[in-house]
Amino acid sequence: MNKDNAVNMFMQAFFGPATTSQHRALVEESSRLVRAGKKQLLFNEGDQGSEFYFLAKGKIKLFRATEDGKEAVIRLLDSGEYFAEILLQLQRRYPVSAIALEESELLAIDAQKILCHIESNPAAAMQFIGALSQRIKYLLGMVEQLTLSDIRQRFINYLLALSEKQGSKQVRLPAAKGEVALLLGTTAETFSRLLGKLASEGSIRIEGRDIHIEDTSALRERN
């Protein structure tokens, strides 16, 4: 993938129909294309940095270390998503760690250059704020889903969201099942039992990391 294609993908993901040629020129000027190998660490929690990222191709895991030294998965990212945009607000330090789960291509965007442009351009500031507000709303919805639902509901909601995003009833989990279990806030053993139960009910069929949704209506009714 070349940088031009990655910039186009980012503009659509971040601004949607509100994108302008001026914004595109700014992102083009403020970004660079980065390639990361499998298991390559992009940054550590607490590291200083000035770039946020758009994942053009590949898979990324965001995680934090808990007080007892264990790993807490924050998000599993697929192509078309951006992350670490909090630097546009907090600046300088990454609140999580990021590692590539497979060979990936990313657009690294200089947050400081974006902020300088926003400070001198009120119209651009409002559009950036609007885009970030939608992002915050989306993330709050995810938090609510994880805190108010039991593990069965969380997984079904997650599975249906992946199905909608991938446009298919055959869903490819973005990471190993153990990683997905951590993301959903449960153990690998509990998650494995849940998959087995859903399969025995005839709602899904499992082939490795591929989940075939056999009965969407049944999933929704039992959710």
Side-chain angles (χ1 to χ4, degrees):
M1 177 177 294
N2 59 41
K3 181 181 174 182
D4 189 62
N5 289 338
V7 170
N8 287 338
M9 290 174 64
F10 170 76
M11 298 305 294
Q12 182 60 39
F14 193 86
F15 291 106
T19 185
T20 67
S21 58
Q22 182 183 26
H23 290 154
R24 193 192 187 288
L26 172 65
V27 172
E28 174 73 29
E29 178 186 342
S30 307
S31 63
R32 61 191 179 94
L33 191 65
V34 176
R35 291 180 172 85
K38 185 177 180 178
K39 299 300 182 183
Q40 181 176 332
L41 191 68
L42 293 173
F43 51 80
N44 271 312
E45 178 183 351
D47 282 353
Q48 287 191 331
S50 63
E51 294 176 319
F52 68 102
Y53 293 85
F54 172 73
L55 180 57
K57 180 182 178 182
K59 297 184 186 301
I60 298 291
K61 177 175 71 174
L62 304 183
F63 63 98
R64 300 188 71 173
T66 62
E67 292 183 359
D68 57 1
K70 295 181 179 179
E71 180 183 293
V73 178
I74 305 301
R75 290 190 67 202
L76 298 172
L77 300 168
D78 211 337
S79 58
E81 299 187 77
Y82 54 92
F83 59 100
E85 72 279 4
I86 194 68
L87 290 182
L88 286 170
Q89 297 166 298
L90 300 182
Q91 301 183 46
R92 297 302 179 190
R93 292 193 182 276
Y94 293 106
V96 297
S97 301
I99 191 171
L101 296 178
E102 62 184 38
E103 290 189 1
S104 302
E105 297 181 358
L106 309 99
L107 199 63
I109 305 167
D110 192 314
Q112 189 58 44
K113 289 183 178 179
I114 300 294
L115 285 169
C116 288
H117 176 75
I118 289 174
E119 288 172 359
S120 60
N121 191 324
M126 292 303 296
Q127 290 174 321
F128 272 88
I129 290 171
L132 288 172
S133 295
Q134 290 299 312
R135 177 68 162 179
I136 291 170
K137 182 179 179 181
Y138 165 73
L139 293 175
L140 286 174
M142 288 184 60
V143 171
E144 182 179 18
Q145 175 180 308
L146 288 173
T147 55
L148 299 182
S149 305
D150 62 25
I151 179 56
R152 181 187 178 103
Q153 290 175 314
R154 291 200 296 273
F155 174 64
I156 290 174
N157 289 339
Y158 179 68
L159 183 64
L160 293 174
L162 285 179
S163 176
E164 182 178 352
K165 180 180 178 181
Q166 297 177 16
S168 172
K169 288 190 175 183
Q170 179 176 321
V171 175
R172 178 75 170 174
L173 294 179
K177 292 172 186 175
E179 301 275 13
V180 175
L182 289 174
L183 174 66
L184 295 172
T186 190
T187 64
E189 293 78 9
T190 298
F191 185 54
S192 181
R193 288 195 295 270
L194 173 62
L195 290 177
K197 182 172 178 57
L198 291 173
S200 68
E201 292 173 355
S203 299
I204 63 172
R205 179 166 50 87
I206 305 167
E207 294 180 0
R209 278 172 53 185
D210 291 324
I211 308 293
H212 301 258
I213 300 176
E214 300 288 298
D215 193 337
T216 303
S217 298
L219 278 178
R220 293 186 187 278
E221 287 172 3
R222 292 169 179 150
N223 188 9

